[in-house]
Amino acid sequence: MREMLICIEEEFIQPSTLTENIRCLPRSEVIDIATIAVYNVTGIGRKLLSKSSKEEGTRQHDNVIARNYFTAILRKHLNMQYAQIGKIIGGRDHSTVLSNMRNFENWVKTNDDFRRTYQKVENEFEALINIHLKNKQHERLQAAFGG
């Protein structure tokens, strides 16, 4: 089954929202981009984001915070269910992801450093999505004109 969504060419000419841009990409690519955005800002990569809760190092503060940023992006931009996110972040239960999201919402409201860092992750995520789409557009143009 082909995962790629087909976008109307005009969407790349007109400014579009991040949500519209994300709809033009396969979910797996958006998850990879979210992982890169979190890594670029926090230094925590896929291996630590997706560790099983039984593995050593998963409860370290920096890892927990990075996993919360990652979870929030998946929930916000892909509207993923808690159980789906739980599978991605190390086979966690949906109730664990729900608890993480509640903590995330509380930290965003009460912790300025947390909120600023999350905004950096969001900004990085949006920039990477836009770069990825421009690269895809360039590839399609090359293919169309025999480049």
Side-chain angles (χ1 to χ4, degrees), residues 88-102:
I88 293 170
I89 60 169
R92 287 166 174 78
D93 185 88
H94 77 280
S95 61
T96 302
V97 178
L98 179 59
S99 175
N100 289 346
M101 287 305 299
R102 287 182 180 145

Side-chain angles (χ1 to χ4, degrees), residues 4 7-16 21 24-25 29 129-145:
M4 180 61 145
C7 294
I8 301 170
E9 292 298 327
E10 289 82 281
E11 286 185 24
F12 291 107
I13 296 169
Q14 301 171 357
S16 56
N21 287 342
C24 295
L25 296 171
E29 288 182 19
I129 289 288
N130 289 329
I131 290 167
H132 189 69
L133 283 169
K134 285 179 185 174
N135 289 339
K136 283 191 162 295
Q137 180 187 21
H138 180 73
E139 289 169 9
R140 280 204 309 250
L141 288 172
Q142 281 186 323
F145 294 105

Side-chain angles (χ1 to χ4, degrees), residues 47-91:
K47 188 173 182 180
L48 291 175
L49 290 176
S50 63
K51 268 191 169 183
S52 164
S53 59
K54 295 174 183 157
E55 293 181 65
E56 188 177 325
T58 61
R59 305 238 4 166
Q60 290 178 351
H61 182 72
D62 291 346
N63 297 348
V64 171
I65 297 298
R67 204 166 25 252
N68 274 279
Y69 296 145
F70 182 65
T71 299
I73 286 177
L74 297 182
R75 182 74 178 157
K76 178 180 177 182
H77 295 292
L78 291 174
N79 199 28
M80 291 180 76
Q81 296 177 355
Y82 296 124
Q84 292 172 312
I85 295 170
K87 288 178 185 174
I88 293 170
I89 60 169

